[in-house]
Amino acid sequence: MSARPQAHLTLGPLLFHWPAQKRRDFYLRIADESPVDTVYLGEVVCSKRESTFEPLRDAVVARLRAAGKEVVLSTLALVTTAREVEQIGELVATGLTVEANDVAGVQILAGRPFVVGPYINVFNEGARDFLVGRGAIRIVLPVEMPATSIRAVAAHGGQTGIEVQAFGRQPLSVAMRCYHARAHNRTKDHCQLVCGLDADGLTAETIDGVDILTINGTQTLTHGHGVLLAELDSLSVAGVTHFRLSPHDLDMVRVAGLYREVLDGRREPGAALEALRSLTGAVPFVNGFLHGREGLAWVEPS
Amino acid sequence: MSARYLELVCPAGTPAALRAAVDAGADTVYCGFRDCTNARNYPGLNFDFDELREGVGYAHDRDCKVLVAINTFPRAGDLGPWHRAVDQAAAAGADAVILADLGVLDYTTRRHPGLRRHLSVQASAANAPSIAFYRDHFDVRRVVLPRVLSVREVAALVEETGIETEVFAFGSVGPMSEGRCFLSSYLTGLSPTSEGACAPASHVAYLDRDGQVLSRLGATTLNSFARGEPAAYPTPCKGRYVTLGRSSYLFEEPAGLNAIAMLPELKAAGVTALKIEGRQRSRAYVAQVVASFREALDALARGDAAPVAALRGETEGGRETFGAYQKGWR
C-alpha cells in the first residue's frame, strides 16, 4: 500500500432534509473537526426545501472557509421552473464555485470554472472533453460507472479533477413525483415536507421483505451504503483525484477520519471497513456498480 | 389532406413495423440500429445498415421522414459503435438523428454538420437554459421533452426557447427523469443508459409460490399476482414496494400514457410533433395506434372533434393515464 496524500476528500451535498439548526451544527463540526478538503453545500433534490437553510448558509460558508475548506455550491438535479433556474443564477452570483447537476447550470455558468455534478451524464471521454472545453475543473462521475470506465475517463484528463463517491447511499434516480408524499398518502403540493421525518431516507422493502431502496422525497437511492475503501488505492492510481463522502445521520467526522487514514496509508482498508461497520449499524455495504455488477452487490475485497 | 395539425412520429422497431407505420399514416418514423447505441436494445428488434437504407427508401417514397435514435451513453474507451451509428445513419439518408450524449452530439456536429440533430428524451432537458445549451453548441433543431412536464410547463418552454418540441402522446411512461435512472442496473448489472435495455428479459423470471406468481428482476421480487391473473412485466419503477408497512405502487401504477384526448391542448402549447412510444411492440399494435392518431389528427385539422375511444385496451395493463400532463399527477 502506498501513501497518496494528494487524493482529496470531499463532503458531498446533504441529500436529505434536515432541520436548519441540525444542518448548521453538522457543518460547524465538519469545519472544526473533519479532515475533508472540500464541502459541497446546497439543495440537490427539491426546491421546496431550499428556503429553510438559506438564512444560515452564509455563516456556514464563512466558517468552513475559515477552517481552510474549499466550498462548492451544488444546484438542483432536476430543474423545471423559472424560479429554479433563477436559483442557479443566485448560486453563481455568490462568486463561489458551483457544481452543476443539470445542464442548465453548465449553460448559466458559461465562461466560469465549474464542477460537473454526478447527475449530469459523463460516461465517456467524449462528454468529458466537451465539458472541459466549457470550463469544467472537476467532474463527479455517475455512481453507475464501473472501474473500467472510470479508468478510461480519468486517464488523459489533463488538469481536470475526477471525483467518485466513496461513501453513502448511492443516488439512483430523480423524478418530479414525490415518493415520500405518496408513501404518506399526500400530494406533492401538500407534502408539508414529510421527507424531513427521515434523516437518512425512508426504506422501501420488496413485497417479500427485503430492504431494497431508500426514498428521499423525489429521489431514490440504494438501501445499502456505497463503500469504496479497498478500491481507493487503485482508483487513485487510475487518476481519480477526489473521493466524495455523502452525508448521513451518523458520525461523519469519524467516517472522514477513516477514509483519510486509508488514503494516507495509515490504516489498512480491511481494518477501516470493520471500523466503518461499527458506525453504520445494520445498513449493508454495496459496491457492485464499481465492479461491473448489479449495484446492490457487495464484492468482498480480495 | 388539410394543413398538418401536429407531426405524427411513430415507432419502427423492425422493418415490418416501419412499413406498417408508414402505411397507417405516420408523418415520421423513428428507429435504431441493432446494438447498444439505442435505448430499445432488445432481442429481435432494430435495423442493420441495409435494412435502414431500404426503410428510408420506403418511407421517402411515401413522403414520410425517418429519424434514427442513437440515444444511449457510450461506454468510456469504446466510442466506435456510436460514431459508426451516426456515420451509417447519415449514409442511409436519415432525415435526422436523435442523440443524448454530449460526446456523440459533439462528434456529429463536427463530422456531419448537415445532418439534422434532435435531442433525445434521454438527455432530460426539462428547462430553457438546458435547451439553449444544446441548441447553441450542437445546433439541435428539436427537443424531445421529458415525460415529467405538465402541459403548462411545455407551453412555457416552447415560448421561451422557440425550438421545435416533440412530446410523448402514447405508450409506456416512466416517472423518473429519463437517461438518469439507474434502478435497472442496480438490480441487474446491465445499464439502460449505456446498453440500452431497461429490465432486460434475460434477467426476468416468473416464479410460482404458494398459488401466487412472483415476478422478479435479477434476484429482486417486484410484484405478485394470483395464478391465472395477467402478470405485468417487472420494470423497477412499476413494481410494488412496502413503505411504512404498506404495499403499494410506490413510483407509478401500471398504466399506459394516452394523450389522444389532449391533442388540442398540446397544439395550443405550441408543440410541433407527437411521439408514439413502442419500438418493442408488435406491427399490429403500431398499425392500430398510428391509424387512430392519424384519424384524430386529420379530424382536428378539418376542425372536427377527434374520435378518442378507439385505443382503449391498447394501453399498458388496459389502464390509461395522462401522466405528468395531468394536474395532481405529482
Side-chain angles (χ1 to χ4, degrees):
Chain A
M1 190 166 54
S2 55
R4 299 192 182 279
Q6 76 274 25
H8 298 276
L9 211 48
T10 77
L11 187 73
L14 174 66
L15 301 177
F16 305 101
H17 185 50
W18 292 1
Q21 208 66 29
K22 175 177 173 139
R23 246 192 239 210
R24 190 191 62 168
D25 294 349
F26 171 76
Y27 284 116
L28 297 189
R29 186 160 173 247
I30 290 293
D32 294 345
E33 300 176 36
S34 82
V36 300
D37 305 292
T38 299
V39 176
Y40 293 82
L41 293 174
E43 180 55 49
V44 170
V45 175
C46 178
S47 60
K48 292 182 73 174
R49 299 167 169 181
E50 191 126 334
S51 54
T52 55
F53 181 64
E54 216 172 284
L56 303 177
R57 193 183 69 197
D58 289 350
V60 166
V61 170
R63 182 78 160 265
L64 288 165
R65 298 185 82 185
K69 316 292 189 198
E70 179 198 24
V71 176
V72 179
L73 300 181
S74 300
T75 76
L76 279 177
L78 179 55
V79 175
T80 59
T81 70
R83 176 67 198 123
E84 289 165 355
V85 170
E86 273 171 35
Q87 281 168 342
I88 299 176
E90 289 163 14
L91 297 183
V92 176
T94 63
L96 293 164
T97 305
V98 171
E99 174 188 61
N101 285 309
D102 183 291
V103 169
V106 181
Q107 177 75 353
I108 293 166
L109 283 154
R112 298 166 189 258
F114 62 94
V115 177
V116 179
Y119 304 90
I120 292 180
N121 279 349
V122 180
F123 278 105
N124 56 68
E125 56 275 34
R128 174 199 68 196
D129 291 347
F130 184 78
L131 288 166
V132 169
R134 309 312 312 157
I137 54 168
R138 185 152 77 237
I139 297 173
V140 189
L141 298 177
V143 295
E144 197 195 47
M145 270 175 83
T148 46
S149 295
I150 293 173
R151 280 191 200 100
V153 171
H156 318 297
Q159 293 303 301
T160 309
I162 297 291
E163 181 165 336
V164 167
Q165 179 172 318
F167 175 79
R169 288 178 158 149
Q170 296 170 320
L172 296 174
S173 73
V174 287
M176 287 298 290
R177 263 191 160 177
C178 179
Y179 306 121
H180 244 103
R182 273 171 74 82
H184 285 269
N185 281 320
R186 297 183 191 181
T187 64
K188 191 178 178 191
D189 288 346
H190 300 97
C191 69
Q192 299 170 286
L193 295 175
V194 69
C195 54
L197 292 175
D198 303 297
D200 277 338
L202 171 64
T203 300
E205 297 166 35
T206 64
I207 52 172
D208 47 9
V210 179
D211 292 341
I212 191 80
L213 296 170
T214 301
I215 299 307
N216 173 35
T218 56
Q219 182 179 52
T220 306
L221 304 102
T222 59
H223 169 64
H225 285 298
V227 172
L228 308 181
L229 270 169
E231 297 86 349
L232 294 179
D233 193 56
S234 63
L235 289 171
S236 294
V237 171
V240 176
T241 56
H242 293 66
F243 293 99
R244 168 173 293 200
L245 312 175
S246 187
H248 286 73
D249 192 20
L250 48 84
D251 189 348
M252 290 302 296
V253 169
R254 182 82 187 104
V255 171
L258 288 170
Y259 275 79
R260 189 69 264 171
E261 288 170 20
V262 174
L263 285 170
D264 292 349
R266 290 183 282 123
R267 189 189 279 261
E268 291 292 335
L273 275 172
E274 213 166 293
L276 190 61
R277 280 191 208 279
S278 72
L279 300 173
T280 51
V283 178
F285 293 167
V286 299
N287 61 6
F289 282 137
L290 189 89
H291 293 280
R293 299 262 312 269
E294 61 276 24
L296 53 70
W298 171 249
V299 178
E300 282 292 341
S302 51
Chain B
M1 203 184 93
S2 37
R4 177 179 287 172
Y5 190 80
L6 288 164
E7 178 182 334
L8 183 58
V9 182
C10 303
T14 60
L18 181 145
R19 291 189 296 272
V22 172
D23 295 347
D27 297 309
T28 303
V29 294
Y30 65 99
C31 54
F33 287 110
R34 195 172 294 133
D35 61 15
C36 52
T37 64
N38 88 91
R40 290 289 183 281
N41 180 21
Y42 296 111
L45 289 190
N46 300 315
F47 291 65
D48 64 22
F49 176 72
D50 289 333
E51 288 166 342
L52 179 64
R53 202 174 41 188
E54 284 164 24
V56 168
Y58 186 87
H60 284 179
D61 285 347
R62 290 157 184 80
D63 253 349
C64 180
K65 290 191 159 68
V66 178
L67 315 179
V68 179
I70 304 165
N71 58 348
T72 50
F73 296 85
R75 285 179 298 265
D78 186 25
L79 308 183
W82 283 265
H83 291 178
R84 191 160 57 243
V86 171
D87 297 343
Q88 291 196 344
D95 296 281
V97 283
I98 309 171
L99 310 176
D101 179 67
L102 291 168
V104 177
L105 280 156
D106 187 40
Y107 172 86
T108 309
T109 308
R110 287 186 285 106
R111 292 295 182 87
H112 302 280
L115 180 60
R116 187 178 156 99
R117 292 173 285 286
H118 292 184
L119 190 68
S120 169
V121 72
Q122 299 296 320
S124 190
N127 56 68
S130 290
I131 292 170
F133 175 87
Y134 290 104
R135 182 196 59 206
D136 295 352
H137 293 296
F138 309 116
D139 194 20
V140 160
R141 308 300 286 276
R142 177 184 294 185
V143 176
V144 184
L145 291 179
R147 282 165 273 198
V148 300
L149 299 172
S150 68
V151 175
R152 196 168 52 83
E153 287 165 341
V154 170
L157 279 182
V158 172
E159 162 123 22
E160 195 172 345
T161 63
I163 203 164
E164 278 184 19
T165 58
E166 182 174 310
V167 302
F168 282 88
F170 195 87
S172 185
V173 284
M176 307 307 189
S177 180
E178 292 93 343
R180 305 197 281 180
C181 178
F182 308 145
L183 285 176
S184 185
S185 49
Y186 174 61
L187 301 182
T188 70
L190 294 176
S191 163
T193 45
S194 289
E195 283 150 282
C198 179
S202 54
H203 288 63
V204 169
Y206 298 92
L207 304 182
D208 218 315
R209 287 281 160 79
D210 309 325
Q212 292 286 110
V213 176
L214 301 183
S215 63
R216 303 185 100 187
L217 183 64
T220 302
T221 302
L222 292 183
N223 214 338
S224 73
F225 305 88
R227 199 182 285 160
E229 185 190 351
Y233 194 82
T235 304
C237 62
K238 309 272 175 73
R240 274 196 295 148
Y241 299 89
V242 179
T243 48
L244 304 169
R246 191 171 62 94
S247 159
S248 70
Y249 289 105
L250 179 62
F251 301 116
E252 174 85 329
E253 290 76 10
L257 172 70
N258 183 1
I260 199 165
M262 300 187 73
L263 301 183
E265 283 155 273
L266 294 170
K267 168 87 173 164
V271 163
T272 300
L274 297 175
K275 184 165 209 140
I276 310 294
E277 188 275 346
R279 283 189 281 151
Q280 71 283 18
R281 304 298 295 264
S282 72
R283 177 176 54 168
Y285 168 92
V286 169
Q288 199 203 332
V289 173
V290 174
S292 296
F293 270 85
R294 179 78 277 150
E295 191 188 350
L297 289 169
D298 288 348
L300 288 163
R302 290 190 304 267
D304 297 342
V308 298
L311 289 170
R312 299 270 151 76
E314 290 294 338
T315 47
E316 197 172 336
R319 295 178 54 195
E320 292 185 0
T321 173
F322 286 143
Y325 296 137
Q326 157 189 276
K327 198 170 157 43
W329 177 82
R330 286 168 194 171

